[in-house]
Amino acid sequence: SLFFSARLRRNLYPKSTTDPADATIAAIELKKLEMDGLANIYYWKNQQQEEVDFIFKQGTKIKQLIQVCYDCSNIKTKERETRFLIKASKELKCNNLIIITNDKEGEARAEWFGIKRKVNYIPLWKWLLDKNQVKLQKLEKAVKEDIKWGFKE
């Protein structure tokens, strides 16, 4: 999609808290899902120029909002990235919020002007494994369907 391509270019010159390699790897992995027909990938930007890196959409439903932030140890960075996710979450009506990091894992409760959300932190390596596991499960299901109907290689 046009939005994805523009976002991918911007990820080559990211904010200082984002490792270019991490953002690019996440973008490529999401693009693979889009090319396999498993999702549509967009980004979100409001009038204040605040952005969420990736909007993961399946069909008509937005499934996940994803920020890539290499280092969330700086409190201002963490608050900024979380605030952008919360604002997008409210507008897009999606509560599945993820920040892909270098090494932070877990979840945290966050609030912005009375809007409360849970934000999940996941290291890039683990997020990649999770995405590949989903693809393998879908492939396995398709193979079982083929076998059920008598199709063989």
Side-chain angles (χ1 to χ4, degrees):
S1 73
L2 175 63
F3 289 115
F4 182 86
S5 299
R7 187 66 193 166
L8 182 58
R9 281 194 303 276
R10 276 200 298 285
N11 273 336
L12 296 175
Y13 305 99
K15 298 172 242 167
S16 61
T17 56
T18 302
D19 182 324
D22 286 358
T24 303
I25 290 167
I28 290 168
E29 185 64 25
L30 290 167
K31 186 63 177 175
K32 286 182 198 175
L33 292 174
E34 188 171 59
M35 291 174 67
D36 290 342
L38 300 174
N40 291 311
I41 308 301
Y42 304 95
Y43 75 97
W44 174 87
K45 187 176 196 176
N46 64 13
Q47 291 179 337
Q48 291 79 32
Q49 306 301 305
E50 298 166 328
E51 298 183 8
V52 169
D53 295 326
F54 303 106
I55 308 301
F56 183 93
K57 187 176 178 185
Q58 289 180 316
T60 60
K61 182 146 175 75
I62 295 173
K63 296 285 193 172
Q64 201 169 65
L65 307 181
I66 303 169
Q67 286 286 68
V68 179
C69 183
Y70 182 78
D71 182 9
C72 286
S73 62
N74 180 303
I75 192 70
K76 287 184 179 186
T77 300
K78 182 180 174 184
E79 287 174 355
R80 181 188 65 234
E81 300 297 327
T82 303
R83 183 178 70 246
F84 295 174
L85 277 175
I86 292 172
K87 287 181 175 186
S89 171
K90 180 181 178 204
E91 182 178 316
L92 301 173
K93 297 174 180 38
C94 177
N95 292 331
N96 188 357
L97 312 179
I98 292 182
I99 297 180
I100 298 172
T101 68
N102 179 45
D103 59 0
K104 182 178 170 110
E105 185 171 5
E107 67 179 48
R109 301 264 176 220
E111 184 175 350
W112 178 78
F113 283 95
I115 304 165
K116 297 177 183 180
R117 297 288 189 270
K118 178 178 78 170
V119 177
N120 292 300
Y121 294 86
I122 186 167
L124 177 65
W125 67 267
K126 192 168 193 176
W127 179 81
L128 290 169
L129 287 176
D130 289 347
K131 288 292 173 219
N132 284 316
Q133 188 64 30
V134 169
K135 285 194 279 188
L136 287 173
Q137 289 170 350
K138 289 181 187 272
L139 179 61
E140 184 178 274
K141 184 178 177 183
V143 168
K144 285 180 182 178
E145 275 297 307
D146 284 351
I147 291 170
K148 176 180 164 184
W149 292 100
F151 299 114
K152 295 184 181 178
E153 293 181 26

